């Protein structure tokens, strides 16, 4: 089976993690924590970095900085991972969903503008599958209506918007360093922000509300969302290779696109003129509503030894939210189509040219002969 993604761990990661082990700094203090936070914030052009234990925790902390009151609204795409919407409901806020652009698969900017109300406190832009959201119009809306602009850049390490780094375009940004992300710390996450008071508050939320003053004196409540020095050591080492990893991801996507472009049964990811897509995944969307679905294609590819993953299922379609009375009767046809017709192909850093050939031959063969009834 050709896997969808395998992390590539180098000698440098082993060397730095071994330094932690040898030094005894294995918990959440240590020089790699500071180095990783500083390096990552600087790379993205943000003032402060607060490392946490995963991307979901980073979103929870980021939304915690908004001081949401019950009924306050945050606008986000329905086509995303549940961590985004859950971070809002966890603080008593109301997630307000928008549909996706059918070409870029990113949040529909016109719908963001149309959904701003007196209760709106923030916009959460999610750079989906490695392509940036069109941020300038969102920044204009945020400044006109006094909203906080949050970027979920967990799929966009190193991606550029008009030459500027994703994760450095809003007021707060979050990253994940899960094993399948562009760089990994095993599990891991980061909150970046511009405001010093927000960075302090984020550090408190990460660490049980401990403040800089007397130990065991708490002015706020928090969580244990700390990253370990071991994870940060891995992150420091991975970061040294990030430019190379971005090049490789782009080269893998190019190899796929050369082999699959022009098939009228599917559409591939695009790169807007103002974007540098880092192709976190190599996605495709099937065109024929009467033909095979992504699920059909995934099953057929699996039988040919090719592993894939389906696209997101929209937040509006989640029973966990419907049972809270959210999103009743709302329709998001573009996201629904992406969910039904979209999947992504193997693009781990360990994939070979021969494997890409094999995957593309399998896709081509299946789409000419879907084989749903006679496989
Ligand atoms: C992976 C991901 C997250 C969650 O990160 P974890 O580290 O898995 O908790 C959040 N948002 C997006 C867009 C992601 O892709």
């Amino acid at each position: 089976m050709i896997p969808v993604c395998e992390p590539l761990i180098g000698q440098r990661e082993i060397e730095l993690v071994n330094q932690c082990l040898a030094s005894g700094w294995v918990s959440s203090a240590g020089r790699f924590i500071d180095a990783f936070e500083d390096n990552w914030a600087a790379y993205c052009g943000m003032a402060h970095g607060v490392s946490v234990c995963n991307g979901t925790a980073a979103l929870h902390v980021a939304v915690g900085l908004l001081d949401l009151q019950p009924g306050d609204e945050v606008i986000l795409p329905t086509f995303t991972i549940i961590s985004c919407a859950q971070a809002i409901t966890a603080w008593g806020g109301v997630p307000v969903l928008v549909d996706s652009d059918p070409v870029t698969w990113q949040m529909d900017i016109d719908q963001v503008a149309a959904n701003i109300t007196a209760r709106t406190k923030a916009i959460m832009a999610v750079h989906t599958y490695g392509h940036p959201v069109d941020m300038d119009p969102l920044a204009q809306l945020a400044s006109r209506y006094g909203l906080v602009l949050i970027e979920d850049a967990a799929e966009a390490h190193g991606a550029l918007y008009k030459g500027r780094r994703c994760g450095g375009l809003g007021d707060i940004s979050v990253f994940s360093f899960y094993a399948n992300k562009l760089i990994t710390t095993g599990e891991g996450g980061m909150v970046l922000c511009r405001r010093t008071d927000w960075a302090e508050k984020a550090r408190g939320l990460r660490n049980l509300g401990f403040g800089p003053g007397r130990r065991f004196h708490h002015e706020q409540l928090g969580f244990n969302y700390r990253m370990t020095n071991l994870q940060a050591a891995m992150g420091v080492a991975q970061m040294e290779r990030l430019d190379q990893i971005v090049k490789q991801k782009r080269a893998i996507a190019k190899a796929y696109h050369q082999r699959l472009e022009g098939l009228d049964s599917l559409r591939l990811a695009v790169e807007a003129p103002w974007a540098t897509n880092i192709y976190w995944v190599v996605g495709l969307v099937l065109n024929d509503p009467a033909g095979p679905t992504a699920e059909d294609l995934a099953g057929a590819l699996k039988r040919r030894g090719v592993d894939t993953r389906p696209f997101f299922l929209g937040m509006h379609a989640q029973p966990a939210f419907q049972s809270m009375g959210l999103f009743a009767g709302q329709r998001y046809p573009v996201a629904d189509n992406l969910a039904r017709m979209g999947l992504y192909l193997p693009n781990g850093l360990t994939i070979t040219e021969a494997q890409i050939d094999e995957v593309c031959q399998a896709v081509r063969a299946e789409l000419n002969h879907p084989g749903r009834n006679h496989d």
Side-chain angles (χ1 to χ4, degrees):
M1 185 73 70
I2 303 178
V4 170
C5 183
E6 272 181 329
L8 188 62
I9 311 300
Q11 274 311 310
R12 181 72 171 153
E13 285 85 328
I14 293 168
E15 181 193 322
L16 296 192
V17 170
N18 275 336
Q19 282 181 24
C20 297
L21 293 173
S23 70
W25 290 92
V26 294
S27 222
S28 54
R31 68 184 182 91
F32 290 115
I33 292 278
D34 296 333
F36 188 41
E37 290 180 343
D38 291 349
N39 293 353
W40 192 253
Y43 176 76
C44 297
M46 284 288 234
H48 306 282
V50 179
S51 60
V52 290
C53 55
N54 57 59
T56 302
L59 281 160
H60 194 199
V61 168
V63 176
L65 302 177
L66 303 177
D67 282 324
L68 292 182
Q69 301 305 307
D72 281 351
E73 298 169 0
V74 178
I75 300 174
L76 78 164
T78 190
F79 187 71
T80 187
I81 191 166
I82 198 155
S83 313
C84 299
Q86 184 179 303
I88 299 162
T89 57
W91 289 107
V94 179
V96 173
L97 304 177
V98 298
D99 209 350
S100 304
D101 178 288
V103 176
T104 64
W105 310 338
Q106 307 304 316
M107 72 195 300
D108 183 321
I109 306 296
D110 293 336
Q111 288 191 17
V112 174
N115 276 285
I116 293 172
T117 72
R119 299 306 305 267
T120 309
K121 288 292 175 300
I123 301 167
M124 184 188 286
V126 184
H127 306 299
T128 304
Y129 298 157
H131 191 285
V133 172
D134 190 5
M135 291 298 286
D136 280 349
L138 290 186
Q140 280 160 18
L141 288 171
S143 93
R144 184 177 324 147
Y145 295 99
L147 311 177
V148 176
L149 186 52
I150 301 176
E151 295 176 85
D152 181 346
E155 303 180 355
H157 313 68
L160 299 174
Y161 173 73
K162 300 185 180 174
R164 288 177 293 146
R165 196 83 67 191
C166 287
L169 303 165
D171 303 299
I172 305 170
S173 62
V174 305
F175 286 90
S176 163
F177 305 107
Y178 184 67
N180 68 356
K181 302 297 161 86
L182 257 267
I183 63 169
T184 183
T185 59
E187 297 275 357
M190 185 96 70
V191 180
L192 303 181
C193 61
R194 300 199 183 284
R195 279 171 50 174
T196 307
D197 59 329
W198 279 355
E200 271 165 29
K201 180 163 182 183
R203 287 177 204 285
L205 289 173
R206 166 181 70 181
N207 188 23
L208 300 171
F210 277 107
R214 188 206 184 282
R215 195 143 184 89
F216 303 112
H217 171 90
H218 301 266
E219 306 228 348
Q220 65 168 339
L221 300 180
F223 312 94
N224 178 352
Y225 280 170
R226 300 183 300 256
M227 176 183 268
T228 66
N229 200 39
L230 292 160
Q231 292 166 308
M234 210 175 147
V236 168
Q238 288 259 297
M239 255 197 94
E240 293 172 2
R241 281 218 314 276
L242 179 54
D243 290 347
Q244 181 56 37
I245 292 172
V246 168
K247 277 200 194 112
Q248 249 176 293
K249 282 286 186 193
R250 288 178 59 80
I252 292 167
K254 191 171 173 193
Y256 269 112
H257 285 207
Q258 281 167 345
R259 288 161 177 76
L260 295 176
E261 238 150 27
L263 294 187
D264 54 10
S265 52
L266 60 82
R267 287 177 293 136
L268 299 162
V270 298
E271 186 171 53
W274 37 261
T276 302
N277 191 341
I278 51 120
Y279 296 99
W280 174 56
V281 299
V282 172
L284 64 83
V285 178
L286 298 170
N287 278 331
D288 180 2
T293 64
E295 196 180 350
D296 296 330
L297 179 60
L301 289 175
K302 187 153 257 174
R303 288 191 288 278
R304 290 175 179 269
V306 175
D307 205 11
T308 62
R309 289 288 179 278
F311 273 17
F312 293 125
L313 193 57
M315 291 304 102
H316 64 283
Q318 305 294 340
F321 289 131
Q322 287 164 351
S323 68
M324 296 165 70
L326 288 167
F327 316 136
Q330 298 177 14
R331 290 195 62 251
Y332 301 92
V334 177
D336 285 343
N337 187 62
L338 292 174
R340 188 174 128 83
M341 300 305 242
L343 59 71
Y344 47 95
L345 300 171
N347 78 330
L349 294 172
T350 56
I351 199 166
T352 64
E353 191 99 2
Q355 286 176 317
I356 295 175
D357 275 334
E358 197 182 321
V359 174
C360 293
Q361 276 160 17
V363 170
R364 284 173 169 274
E366 283 306 327
L367 291 180
N368 294 331
H369 310 281
R372 273 190 294 170
N373 303 318
H374 40 264
D375 233 5

